[in-house]
Amino acid sequence: MAELLEHLKPLVGEEHIAVREGVVVVSPKNTSEVAAVLGFADRHGVKVRPVGGRTKLGWGAACEAQIELSLLRLNRVVDHPWQDLTCTVQAGCTWQALEDTLARHGQFVALDALWPEKATVGGVCATNDSGALRHRYGSLRDQVLGMTIVLADGTIAKTGGRVVKNVAGYDLPKLMVGSMGTLAVITEVTFRLYSLPLHSRSFTVAADTAAKLAPLMQAIRDSHLAVQVLQMRGDASGFALDVEINAHPDAGQDAMLAEIVVKNGLSLQPGFWLYAERDKLWEHERLILKATIRPNDLASYAQEIVDKDGSFVAQSIGIVYAAFARDETTVRLAEEFRYHLDLQGGTSTVLKGNSEMDPVVGMSNIGPLMQAIKVQFDANNTLNPLVNQTSSQPAI
C-alpha cells in the first residue's frame, strides 16, 4: 500500500490521494492525469474501479480493486454551443448541474436520470440509466454524439463527434454506454440537446388489474397523440397508467386522450410526480431488478410481479424496474421471476440485491462476445475486473 501511494503522488499530487476501506482513492484533475494513473496501473497489474457520485456502484457485477479512480474533479460543462443543440461536459459533472446550465437556454438532455443531484454524467453513461422520457426520445445511446475516453493502458481516444450527423467510423460511444466501466474510463461526453417542453400535461388512469390497462396502452401507442411519457406502475393497491402529453392546449389532445380512455371503459385523472415513481422503489431496503421484455408481455409480467408481493414501474417499450421485499421467500420468488423471464427471451439485472443472487441473468448467449470485447479493450483486465476472474497481486 505504501509503495503504491508513493508511485501515485507524482501523478496527481499527494493532496488528491486518500485511503478508504483499504482502497486507494485517486482524484485526477483532467484527462491526462486519468491516462497517467491508468497507464501506471496497467503496467503494474493494479486493478482500477472508476467512480463518479457512487450512486450506482451496486449495479451489475461487483468488483474488487486496489485503486478507486474518482472523476469528481472533472466537473465542468466544457462547451455549450446552444445554437447547434449540442454540449460537451466532463464526466464528473453532476446531472443536475448539467441540467441547470442547459436550462438557461431552454434546452435539456432528454433523459431523466436517477438521483440527478449526486449522479455524474460519466456514471449515468456507464450504467446506461434511463427513465420515463425514453418513450419519446429513445435511450441514452441516442443522446450521445461523442466521447473522450481513456483506455486501460492509458491511451486517450476521442470517438464520435460534436454534430448530430456523424457518418464516419465505428460508433464507439454506443459501446461505452452501459459498459459499467469495464472497457475504458469516460472523461468527456458530447450530447445532442432538445428544447425544454413548454406544454406538458400529465394524466393517470387507474385499474385493479394490469390486463385492463394493456389495450389502453396499445391504443395510445397507435394514436396520433404527442405522447412524451407512457408508463405503467403497480403494487398491492392496484395498477396505474401514466401519460404525459406535450402539445399546445389548443390542439385538443386532452379531449382526444379522454375519448380513448373512455372507449376502454376507464376514466382519466390529472397526474403528478410521474418522474419520481421510479425513485420510490429505492426508498426501502428491497431487492430491485431491471428487466427488458417484449412490450406485448408487459401486462402479464406486471401482474406476476404484484402477485409475488412486488411493486414495479415499467416503460411501455418493455423496460421494467421491479422491487421485492428482502426476506427469504421473496428472494426465491424473484429468482423464479428472473429465470422465467430468461426462458421467454428477456434479460434481467440485479440493481440492488444480496450476495447470494447472480447479478445478471439472460446473458448466456452474449457472454463470450462481451468477454472477447473486454480482452480487445483491456487485455490485462485492469478496469473493473470481473468477480469470476482472480485479481492478482500488484507487481510493485
Side-chain angles (χ1 to χ4, degrees):
M1 174 71 75
E3 190 175 357
L4 178 58
L5 291 172
E6 289 303 315
H7 279 86
L8 292 172
K9 286 177 183 176
L11 302 182
V12 299
E14 184 175 0
E15 65 274 27
H16 301 299
I17 300 175
V19 178
R20 181 166 54 205
E21 299 177 351
V23 177
V24 179
V25 181
V26 183
S27 304
K29 67 179 179 184
N30 53 38
T31 299
S32 297
E33 289 192 354
V34 172
V37 173
L38 284 181
F40 163 80
D42 196 60
R43 288 192 299 274
H44 295 87
V46 179
K47 306 305 179 186
V48 179
R49 176 176 63 212
V51 302
R54 301 175 63 84
T55 57
K56 305 180 181 77
L57 284 183
W59 290 30
C63 64
E64 298 179 358
Q66 288 85 43
I67 292 178
E68 184 171 283
L69 187 68
S70 172
L71 278 298
L72 289 180
R73 292 180 67 204
L74 283 74
N75 55 12
R76 293 185 301 113
V77 176
V78 178
D79 191 19
H80 179 202
W82 57 270
Q83 303 94 329
D84 297 334
L85 290 172
T86 67
C87 76
T88 300
V89 57
Q90 291 183 312
C93 180
T94 65
W95 197 262
Q96 186 66 60
L98 172 63
E99 287 186 332
D100 292 344
T101 300
L102 302 181
R104 295 169 192 161
H105 287 282
Q107 297 176 342
F108 77 129
V109 179
L111 182 124
D112 47 318
L114 283 165
W115 316 299
E117 68 283 357
K118 292 184 178 179
T120 58
V121 168
V124 169
C125 290
T127 55
N128 193 20
D129 191 9
S130 68
L133 289 173
R134 189 163 179 163
H135 174 86
R136 164 65 180 82
Y137 298 98
S139 70
L140 178 55
R141 290 188 174 98
D142 299 310
Q143 317 305 323
V144 175
L145 298 176
M147 282 183 177
T148 299
I149 60 176
V150 183
L151 303 181
D153 64 359
T155 302
I156 299 172
K158 292 183 180 293
T159 178
R162 298 183 60 183
V163 295
V164 174
K165 292 183 178 178
N166 280 306
V167 295
Y170 295 110
D171 200 346
L172 286 182
K174 283 184 169 56
L175 184 61
M176 295 299 144
V177 172
S179 63
M180 299 286 183
T182 59
L183 302 181
V185 175
I186 301 168
T187 59
E188 284 187 8
V189 184
T190 298
F191 291 104
R192 69 184 302 169
L193 305 179
Y194 291 89
S195 298
L196 281 166
L198 297 177
H199 304 291
S200 296
R201 298 174 302 286
S202 302
F203 305 91
T204 295
V205 182
D208 57 352
T209 67
K212 291 182 179 177
L213 294 175
L216 172 60
M217 191 163 60
Q218 186 61 47
I220 293 174
R221 278 201 295 250
D222 292 340
S223 73
H224 296 291
L225 294 173
V227 177
Q228 184 154 287
V229 171
L230 186 60
Q231 88 178 0
M232 186 187 293
R233 54 188 165 86
D235 55 26
S237 65
F239 296 83
L241 187 67
D242 297 317
V243 187
E244 183 174 88
I245 289 177
N246 180 28
H248 194 281
D250 291 347
Q253 296 222 342
D254 297 15
M256 295 168 60
L257 174 62
E259 183 179 353
I260 294 173
V261 172
V262 171
K263 282 184 177 178
N264 282 270
L266 298 164
S267 61
L268 189 67
Q269 302 295 329
F272 305 96
W273 314 115
L274 72 172
Y275 291 103
E277 295 298 333
R278 187 169 59 125
D279 301 45
K280 292 178 181 176
L281 297 178
W282 273 267
E283 288 181 351
H284 305 285
E285 281 298 317
R286 294 192 286 184
L287 186 157
I288 299 179
L289 308 178
K290 178 183 179 181
T292 56
I293 62 176
R294 292 179 298 188
N296 284 343
D297 296 332
L298 180 57
S300 62
Y301 279 110
Q303 191 68 54
E304 183 180 352
I305 292 168
V306 173
D307 291 344
K308 293 182 180 343
D309 295 326
S311 57
F312 75 94
V313 175
Q315 309 311 318
S316 64
I317 55 175
I319 296 180
V320 183
Y321 294 85
F324 301 88
R326 271 191 171 186
D327 60 59
E328 184 177 337
T329 303
T330 51
V331 168
R332 179 175 54 79
L333 291 173
E335 287 283 20
E336 292 176 2
F337 169 75
R338 297 177 67 199
Y339 282 102
H340 180 200
L341 188 66
D342 187 30
L343 293 174
Q344 298 298 318
T347 62
S348 174
T349 304
V350 176
L351 301 184
K352 186 177 181 182
N354 59 27
S355 58
E356 296 178 356
M357 296 191 71
D358 293 331
V360 181
V361 165
M363 308 285 285
S364 55
N365 293 329
I366 58 175
L369 174 61
M370 294 176 66
Q371 291 286 351
I373 294 173
K374 170 72 171 174
V375 169
Q376 291 298 315
F377 278 84
D378 182 11
N380 296 327
N381 199 30
T382 298
L383 281 169
N384 265 349
L386 301 179
V387 291
N388 59 352
Q389 292 179 315
T390 304
S391 297
S392 59
Q393 293 298 316
I396 56 174

